[in-house]
Structures are given as structure tokens and as C-alpha cells.
Amino acid sequence: MGEFELIRNFFAAAPCAQGGEGVALGIGDDCALLAVAPGEQLAISTDTLVAGVHFADPCDPFLLGQRSLAVAVSDLAAMGATPLAFTLALTLPTVATDWLAAYARGLNAMAQDCAVRLIGGDTTRGPLTLTMTVFGRVPAGRALTRSGARPGDLLCVGGPLGDAAGALPLVLGQRQAAPAVAEPLLARYWSPQPQLALGQALRGKATAALDISDGLLADCGHIAAASSVGLQVVLDTLPLSRPLVDFLGLEGARAAALSGGDDYVLAFTLPPADLTPLQAAGWPVHVVGQVVAGQGVALLDAAGQDITPGIRGYQHFPETP
Amino acid sequence: MGEFELIRNFFAAAPCAQGGEGVALGIGDDCALLAVAPGEQLAISTDTLVAGVHFADPCDPFLLGQRSLAVAVSDLAAMGATPLAFTLALTLPTVATDWLAAYARGLNAMAQDCAVRLIGGDTTRGPLTLTMTVFGRVPAGRALTRSGARPGDLLCVGGPLGDAAGALPLVLGQRQAAPAVAEPLLARYWSPQPQLALGQALRGKATAALDISDGLLADCGHIAAASSVGLQVVLDTLPLSRPLVDFLGLEGARAAALSGGDDYVLAFTLPPADLTPLQAAGWPVHVVGQVVAGQGVALLDAAGQDITPGIRGYQHFPETP
């Protein structure tokens, strides 16, 4: 048995690979088989992380296992889907048992958190690259998309922004910070929590949604384009965490929120009448602007003046780290 | 708009990305949405091809486009599934428009041949790597698996074996051959034809099936292990193409058939009573051995003597080219 076959058996034995609802056939055949209940559709998303491009190499394999799955599952949250399963295509330069065991532990921890099952994949030799394809179920016709925002809707986000971008200098070892600041920021970078429950609660309410991976301004641009509307973001309404403001100052924290990547917080548009019931039910819904007729994304100050910067957020494929 | 965003738009405009049966939402949102008909299950497989490991780099991008999709779709054929859709995770070192256009043409040609739609993916910067995840539909409970072979079944294959392995020295430029020999072999390497119709015809008949990617002996080992049976392969029954025998001689051709990779021909086990009706209906069914009580794979000569070689076929991840 070759070493890569051993790896497959290793993942097949992981707790997160032991079947589960909707999994008719898991790892070990030419295909996996998923059952989709009548009246439901399957939501599918693929994400690739390349060593040295999307994460520092070397890095902690346990944290990478958590993060690589969370990033992919976040797309299911953005559609209001319930996670079902995922495949992992893992390309490795060498077979290092300790690395793999730690990676699998991190993957498994996040899979348990998200109730998602490993059903297959591929293991190959080459430069370290991870491609996850995730599957969720959603009632037919009720998935959240990017295309339904209407003028008059509120623009909302599901929590503080910018923490993961703020953590980047810590991840790269370029800066240091006291544990009270560093730990919460690093946790947001390495262990993003896909807002699955919020996404499901927004079905039938939010008119458009996505998860913020490239910074609020850039991602709002996707909603504006898909919905053929304009979006206005009001600078001083941005929710910012205390550790981020302590670390970067208010201006730096706002820049991270607007243009930093890797938040994996939901951004969505909502008819005003739906705001209070959602907040009253305890959902984290922060109004950061509104939808208007027009196109593109504008940044406004508290007085309503347009202060849109030239930047449009991260390029989608930042070369850092 | 960044160059990688341009690539996404480029693929989104490809003919094979224009929706189709079962595709409720295609490229452009956080997830694609697939509809699965009542009574059907979704078959899913992921395959990664790494430059310099699974294909020569550089190579013809049109041919790579064809081959990368065919290799993945072949897993659907092995389950008896009908192709529905695929995602493409494409990691590229640089953005070369000509290369991309040719790759997309090859991809599109194979997608049309297989009636499969591009519904999403990811485009990233890094060492050239392709990960395809393919989706097919199959009547619930009727997928072909590896685990149902029973003693007394015939061991069959869907066509000549070894051509792709025979082509490898031509692909790598290590040998040359006359066009009458080289062209058919190279076609089998670069444009494998997933045996989709055969796979569907075998539903309810074949007791086990897979597609041969690692050589007949190694892949028969997977059926033997999954079904808890032994398989006997009879050497002089192997179907071999004339170009392969011309190129490698009979012994070389047999070695390529037994231990070469990349055939993507189906291997399956069949109750004897099902053989004649399938052959009479015109299906390419070649008997190459039988299923016996026991375990593992044995190679027999025409007299029934065990001549099993030490080799078990390619290691799953050959380092060539």
C-alpha cells in the first residue's frame, strides 16, 4: 500500500468521515452518494487555499485544518444552507505523519462544529494546496443569493469586521501584541465561525447576502452588481471589536473593516420591517448602510457626505503573506 | 477588476457554463444550486491533477482541458451515474490569456461530449494544479459500487487496455512512432472517453464496477478488497489494441494493460447470465477473468496456472512524468 493510500485510509477513519444524515455512501468508492430530500436543493461551493498565498507556510496544521474548512463552509452560511458534507483535495509535498494528524484534528474539530461530513476527495503529491468542496441543503427556491437587494433595504452585517485583517501582522510575525489583544484577533483569523444559524434565520427575510471574504467594500460591490442597485456604507456605524481598535486605532480598525479580507461575517440586505424582529430574537444584526437606486458602493460619513476612498478593498488574490 | 476576476468571468461566459437540466443556480454567487429529482441520488467525485506529477508541464492546454475533465467524469461512469455538473478549482502561476483560452476550449469540448455543466469553482495563484469535482445523478440505490462482486461472477472490461500507458513515452518525447501508431495511442491518453453509456447500461446487472486508473491488477485489487472476494485475471484474454501491440510488442502491451495507468476503461463483475444479452445489444464487454472465493488478485495463464507477478500495478501516485 502506497503512502498516499495510507493517507486516504487515515482520513476515512476520521470521526467526521463516519457517514451521517444524507450521506448514502461515503469515502472509498469511485463516487460518494448524497441523498437530497424532496423539496430541497443542494448548495455547492469550492474554495482553494494555496500555501504562501492564502496562508503562511509553514503554519500550525491544526489551525489550518480548522480554517480551511471554515472558509468553505462560510459560503453555505451565505446561502442560508444547512451543511451536509464536504470533499477534500489535498496536495502535499511530502507525507509527514505528525503534520497530517494535526491537520486532521483541526479539520475534524471544525467539521464537528459545523455538523458536516467528509465524503471523499483526492490526495496527491505536489506543492501544498487545499481545495474544499462543500455541500449544504436548502429548501428549494429559498436560498439567499446576491441578486435581490432593493432600494430602501437596510445594509447589515452579522458582527464585528476587520479582526482577521487586523490579525494578519500577528500571523506573519511582523508585529506583536499583548495576549488580551492578540488572542481574540488570532482566533478570528484561524478559527472563523461560519454564521450558519444566522444565514438560516435570514431565509425569507434578507433580500441579498454573502459572506465577507475580501473586505466590506469589495464584497458590497458584488451585491450591488448582482442586484443592479447602489449600496451606501456609513463609516461610523461599522461594528469594530475592542481588541481591533486597541491594536490598530480607530482609523486603522475602520480600514481593516472596509478593505481587509478573511472576516467570513455575513453581509446582507434587509427590508426595514424585518430588522427589529431579528434583533429582538437575539440575532447579531448591525445596520451599516442602505440600498439605493443606482450602482456601485459609496462610503458616507455621519453627515451623509460621500467620502469613498480610491481603494476598493483587497485585490481578490493578495500576494501576502 | 483583478485579473483573476477576469478569469472567472471568462469561464462564466463559456458555453458549458450556461445552465442546463438540474442547475438551479450556476456560476456567480456564493454557492451553486443543484436540483435532484425525487428518487435520485447525487454522485460526487473529486480529482486533482498536478503539473509535473500527473501531466507534463508544459503541455498542450487544449488537450489538458479535455483530459482533466474526462478523468473526473470517468468516476461518474464507474457508478452508472448520468453527468450533471462540475466545479473547477484552477491554480495558475501566471495569467496567460492564450493558455486559458485554449484550456477552456478543451474543457468545453469534453463538457459538451459528456453533457456536463460548469457551475462554479475557484481561481487562485500558485503552482499549476487542477481540481475537478463532478456531479451526476443516479436512481437511488442503483449506483454501481465496488463491493458487490460474488464468486462465480465474470470479470469484464469495457475495451482495450494499456493504450494510455503505452502513449506515455510518446507524451514525454522519449520515443517516436509512425502516425498510424502514435495518433490512436495519444488520443487515448489525452482524450479518454468516459464510458458513461456503458456504466448506465450496467446498472442492475454489474455486481461491482470501477474505472481503471491505476492499471487492471491494482484496480481489481480494490474490487477484491471491497467485495471480500478473489479475482482471477486470465492473461491471454486481455483486449489489446493493434497500435499498442505494434508499438510495444505483445509482452509490453500486456504489461501496460496489467500495470499501466490512465486507461479510464470500466472494469466490472457480472453474473454469467447477463453477458450474452449485453454483448448482443452491442455493449463492449470483454471477459478477462472471474470472481472466486478468497482474496486478492491472481494472474493466470491460458492453462489456469498462477503466474502472478510481483508487481501490483502502478503506485497510485506515479512520479512520472
Side-chain angles (χ1 to χ4, degrees):
Chain A
M1 189 183 293
E3 57 186 1
F4 281 84
E5 195 163 356
L6 282 169
I7 295 172
R8 278 195 289 272
N9 292 348
F10 176 74
F11 279 106
C16 65
Q18 306 315 311
E21 184 193 349
V23 180
L25 186 66
I27 293 176
D29 217 299
D30 291 283
C31 293
L33 295 172
L34 283 186
V36 180
E40 294 195 329
Q41 293 174 329
L42 200 70
I44 300 168
S45 179
T46 294
D47 279 282
T48 297
L49 300 180
V50 181
V53 178
H54 301 96
F55 59 92
D57 183 29
C59 71
D60 183 316
F62 178 88
L63 296 174
L64 181 64
Q66 284 193 326
R67 181 164 182 262
S68 59
L69 181 57
V71 165
V73 169
S74 183
D75 284 315
L76 297 177
M79 301 294 281
T82 303
L84 194 54
F86 71 104
T87 62
L88 166 63
L90 181 59
T91 302
L92 293 169
T94 57
V95 176
T97 309
D98 289 352
W99 191 97
L100 276 165
Y103 178 81
R105 280 197 303 275
L107 188 75
N108 201 68
M110 187 57 71
Q112 304 283 9
D113 282 356
C114 297
V116 65
R117 299 286 168 165
L118 178 61
I119 57 167
D122 198 2
T123 310
T124 52
R125 187 186 300 280
L128 181 59
T129 309
L130 311 160
T131 295
M132 301 276 186
T133 302
V134 293
F135 308 98
R137 53 194 177 81
V138 64
R142 297 197 65 205
L144 304 174
T145 69
R146 300 175 173 187
S147 58
R150 295 166 301 198
D153 287 346
L154 302 171
L155 174 63
C156 307
V157 296
L161 304 177
D163 285 352
L168 204 54
L170 300 169
V171 172
L172 298 176
Q174 296 167 343
R175 284 189 63 184
Q176 297 202 315
V181 166
E183 286 171 5
L185 297 181
L186 287 169
R188 288 289 302 275
Y189 180 86
W190 281 117
S191 310
Q193 299 296 317
Q195 295 196 293
L196 291 160
L198 176 60
Q200 293 162 34
L202 292 175
R203 289 199 309 242
K205 296 185 176 65
T207 52
L210 50 62
D211 64 320
I212 303 173
S213 54
D214 301 325
L216 181 65
L217 293 180
D219 283 314
C220 281
H222 295 140
I223 291 179
S227 297
S228 300
V229 297
L231 294 186
Q232 295 178 331
V233 175
V234 181
L235 181 62
D236 53 4
T237 63
L238 298 176
L240 303 169
S241 77
R242 180 64 181 267
L244 185 68
V245 176
D246 285 349
F247 187 48
L248 296 183
L250 182 60
E251 290 312 302
R254 284 175 168 173
L258 291 170
S259 305
D262 296 326
D263 275 325
Y264 303 106
V265 163
L266 297 188
F268 48 98
T269 58
L270 201 64
D274 287 313
L275 176 64
T276 306
L278 281 167
Q279 289 179 328
W283 295 108
V285 179
H286 305 264
V287 179
V288 298
Q290 54 270 330
V291 183
V292 296
Q295 60 182 9
V297 181
L299 183 65
L300 307 185
D301 68 13
Q305 292 296 308
D306 188 332
I307 52 169
T308 309
I311 53 168
R312 275 193 61 240
Y314 272 119
Q315 259 291 343
H316 278 208
F317 299 90
E319 294 305 302
T320 56
Chain B
M1 188 183 294
E3 57 185 1
F4 281 84
E5 196 163 357
L6 282 168
I7 296 172
R8 279 193 289 272
N9 293 348
F10 176 75
F11 280 106
C16 66
Q18 305 315 309
E21 183 194 350
V23 181
L25 185 67
I27 293 176
D29 218 298
D30 291 283
C31 292
L33 295 172
L34 284 186
V36 180
E40 295 194 330
Q41 292 173 330
L42 200 70
I44 300 168
S45 179
T46 294
D47 279 282
T48 297
L49 300 181
V50 180
V53 178
H54 301 97
F55 59 92
D57 184 29
C59 70
D60 182 315
F62 178 88
L63 295 174
L64 181 63
Q66 285 193 326
R67 182 164 182 264
S68 59
L69 182 56
V71 165
V73 169
S74 182
D75 284 314
L76 297 177
M79 299 294 281
T82 304
L84 193 54
F86 70 104
T87 62
L88 167 63
L90 181 59
T91 302
L92 293 169
T94 57
V95 176
T97 309
D98 289 352
W99 192 96
L100 276 166
Y103 178 81
R105 279 197 304 275
L107 189 74
N108 202 68
M110 187 57 72
Q112 304 283 10
D113 282 356
C114 298
V116 65
R117 300 285 169 165
L118 178 61
I119 57 168
D122 199 1
T123 310
T124 52
R125 188 185 300 279
L128 180 59
T129 309
L130 312 159
T131 296
M132 301 276 185
T133 302
V134 293
F135 308 98
R137 53 194 177 81
V138 65
R142 298 196 65 204
L144 305 174
T145 69
R146 300 175 173 186
S147 58
R150 295 167 300 199
D153 288 345
L154 302 171
L155 174 63
C156 306
V157 297
L161 303 177
D163 284 353
L168 204 55
L170 301 168
V171 171
L172 298 175
Q174 296 167 341
R175 285 188 62 183
Q176 297 201 316
V181 166
E183 286 172 5
L185 297 181
L186 286 168
R188 288 288 303 276
Y189 180 87
W190 282 116
S191 309
Q193 300 296 316
Q195 297 195 291
L196 292 161
L198 176 60
Q200 292 162 35
L202 291 175
R203 289 197 310 241
K205 296 185 176 64
T207 51
L210 50 62
D211 65 319
I212 303 173
S213 56
D214 300 325
L216 181 65
L217 293 182
D219 283 315
C220 280
H222 296 140
I223 291 179
S227 297
S228 300
V229 296
L231 294 186
Q232 293 177 333
V233 175
V234 181
L235 182 62
D236 54 4
T237 63
L238 297 176
L240 303 169
S241 78
R242 181 63 181 267
L244 185 68
V245 176
D246 286 349
F247 187 49
L248 296 183
L250 181 60
E251 289 312 301
R254 284 176 169 173
L258 291 170
S259 305
D262 296 325
D263 275 324
Y264 304 106
V265 163
L266 297 189
F268 48 97
T269 57
L270 199 65
D274 287 313
L275 176 66
T276 305
L278 282 167
Q279 288 179 329
W283 294 109
V285 179
H286 305 265
V287 178
V288 298
Q290 54 270 329
V291 183
V292 295
Q295 60 182 9
V297 182
L299 184 64
L300 307 185
D301 66 14
Q305 291 297 309
D306 189 331
I307 53 170
T308 310
I311 53 168
R312 273 193 62 241
Y314 273 120
Q315 258 291 343
H316 279 209
F317 298 88
E319 294 305 300
T320 56

